[in-house]
Amino acid sequence: MADPNSSTSGASSNAPVAPAPVVGAISIPGRQCSMEDAISVTPNLCSPNLSRGRPIDFFAVYDGHGGPHAAALCRDRMYLILQEELMVVRTTVDMSGGGSRRGRRERLERQKVTEAWKRVLRRCFHRIDEMASFTCCECGMGTPCGCPPNTLGMAGSTAVMAVVTEETIIVANCGDSRAVLSRGGRAIPLSFDHKPDRQDERARIEACGGRVLFADCPRVQGILAMSRAIGDTYLKPYVTSEPEITFTKREPEDECLILASDGLWDVISTEMACEVARECLREENPSGNHSFRPWVEGDGEGAIFSSQSASAAALLTRLALGRNSYDNISVIVVDLKRNYAGR
């Protein structure tokens, strides 16, 4: 996993380094005997031209299937690929959309920046998907690894990532992990699950010659319970790695951002998750008294940051377990009220 406290500059060596965001993150096996989830928390990933040389933060949840290797690959490589792709983009237009940026030229420039972000993110998903297609689901290595040929590209993973700038929350999603924004007491979805029976997804699958079959739930070719994923080479082109991307302008009433795997969302609604997180963020004292101590996969030090955000992530995880979630559970809570102070 990437060092959560690392920071690099993609714009210049003199780019400002902002205070680390207030964030809590937890990733646990839950009631499963194996762990296939992975998370990535990378404050101050870089300071690209697309954000006017200002720092951006990166958060992601990956929910693997068919083994842990695709999710682990995403955790270890995606943020590096994103940084690399951002460093070569030269567009420098502000996306804030302030009152002075109302002319046709300004709108066209902002649209150019939006399209540049989309190209970068799509390229990231395409590159990591190519890597996953050559990753062995038995040992996690690339070819040649000595395992049987039919072990290549058999594993897969969801990927929901959020790039948070001073002005915008950009979410790219592939699969059924989910991102939601709590704003003014309301839950605002920033991603939409890719389920095979979603009308547009089913139409896309059938147009490619595939089928959606119902067993315990709708499945692509009767196998996979999601219609988009990283990896799963044996189900292409029916299962695609093309992400859906949303752009949300930050507002003063934004409270927190939650990213989580379906181990949470299968048993907790987005509205309840936001309500729980808001209550935790209102508390004066952080989560020091919780017996269920937050921790992060691969990090023996405990919570990434000791804060109300860590309390929120821990409490959401405990609630999911109490509601009999049988999946791995990964939760990231970003406090948007306390975030970016001093930037």
Side-chain angles (χ1 to χ4, degrees):
M1 179 175 175
D3 179 0
N5 296 312
S6 66
S7 64
T8 55
S9 171
S12 71
S13 59
N14 296 321
V17 177
V22 181
V23 56
I26 183 168
S27 188
I28 64 170
R31 292 182 171 87
Q32 292 291 320
C33 60
S34 61
M35 184 60 175
E36 295 182 331
D37 279 9
I39 61 175
S40 182
V41 176
T42 311
N44 294 316
L45 172 67
C46 57
S47 300
N49 288 309
L50 278 178
S51 65
R52 298 178 294 117
R54 300 297 297 167
I56 64 170
D57 300 316
F58 175 83
F59 311 100
V61 169
Y62 309 107
D63 182 356
H65 49 265
H69 303 303
L73 174 69
C74 290
R75 176 198 63 205
D76 295 339
R77 300 296 301 173
M78 184 74 92
Y79 78 103
L80 295 173
I81 293 173
L82 176 60
Q83 178 182 313
E84 180 181 318
E85 291 289 333
L86 286 171
M87 288 174 66
V88 300
V89 178
R90 298 298 175 223
T91 305
T92 58
V93 179
D94 181 7
M95 289 184 64
S96 63
S100 62
R101 292 187 162 282
R102 299 183 184 275
R104 181 173 179 273
R105 178 180 175 184
E106 287 78 9
R107 288 195 300 271
L108 290 174
E109 287 178 338
R110 288 177 56 222
Q111 182 179 358
K112 185 170 77 169
V113 170
T114 298
E115 291 303 316
W117 272 108
K118 288 180 180 179
R119 287 193 299 272
V120 163
L121 293 170
R122 287 170 181 155
R123 177 65 178 161
C124 289
F125 276 70
H126 175 72
R127 288 178 61 183
I128 202 75
D129 185 59
E130 283 190 330
M131 292 180 184
S133 68
F134 293 101
T135 299
C136 175
C137 68
E138 293 291 334
C139 66
M141 296 178 60
T143 56
C145 63
C147 296
N150 61 2
T151 59
L152 294 177
M154 296 294 289
S157 178
T158 72
V160 60
M161 65 165 68
V163 177
V164 182
T165 76
E166 290 180 334
E167 296 130 357
T168 310
I169 301 171
I170 307 166
V171 170
N173 178 55
C174 179
D176 58 4
S177 295
R178 192 181 304 168
V180 61
L181 171 68
S182 178
R183 170 180 287 175
R186 296 177 295 119
I188 299 176
L190 302 187
S191 68
F192 302 92
D193 297 354
H194 293 124
K195 296 294 190 181
D197 60 341
R198 207 177 91 175
Q199 185 175 0
D200 57 340
E201 288 296 283
R202 181 167 188 160
R204 180 186 59 76
I205 292 165
E206 292 176 346
C208 294
R211 294 185 298 168
V212 176
L213 303 177
F214 289 78
D216 55 328
C217 64
R219 294 178 180 271
V220 179
Q221 301 295 92
I223 301 171
L224 191 64
M226 67 194 71
S227 55
R228 301 194 190 193
I230 303 296
D232 296 306
T233 306
Y234 68 106
L235 286 174
K236 297 188 183 306
Y238 320 126
V239 173
T240 177
S241 62
E242 181 78 8
E244 283 189 309
I245 304 169
T246 63
F247 294 80
T248 304
K249 186 177 183 297
R250 294 185 62 176
E251 301 290 349
E253 61 267 30
D254 290 350
E255 293 143 342
C256 64
L257 171 67
I258 304 172
L259 285 77
S261 61
D262 64 351
L264 178 77
W265 302 122
D266 282 348
V267 295
I268 302 290
S269 69
T270 54
E271 292 78 13
M272 176 176 285
C274 287
E275 182 179 354
V276 169
R278 285 194 301 269
E279 288 301 316
C280 289
L281 296 178
R282 288 192 189 107
E283 294 291 332
E284 291 298 324
N285 297 317
S287 57
N289 293 328
H290 276 305
S291 59
F292 191 77
R293 187 178 182 218
W295 61 280
V296 177
E297 177 196 6
D299 185 350
E301 297 296 324
I304 291 182
F305 300 99
S306 179
S307 65
Q308 288 92 337
S309 297
S311 176
L315 182 54
L316 286 170
T317 303
R318 193 187 328 188
L319 286 173
L321 289 171
R323 292 190 167 208
N324 295 319
S325 174
Y326 284 90
D327 205 349
N328 303 152
I329 306 170
S330 296
V331 183
I332 299 173
V333 179
V334 183
D335 187 343
L336 297 175
K337 286 292 188 185
R338 295 175 176 84
N339 203 358
Y340 304 101
R343 279 196 178 185

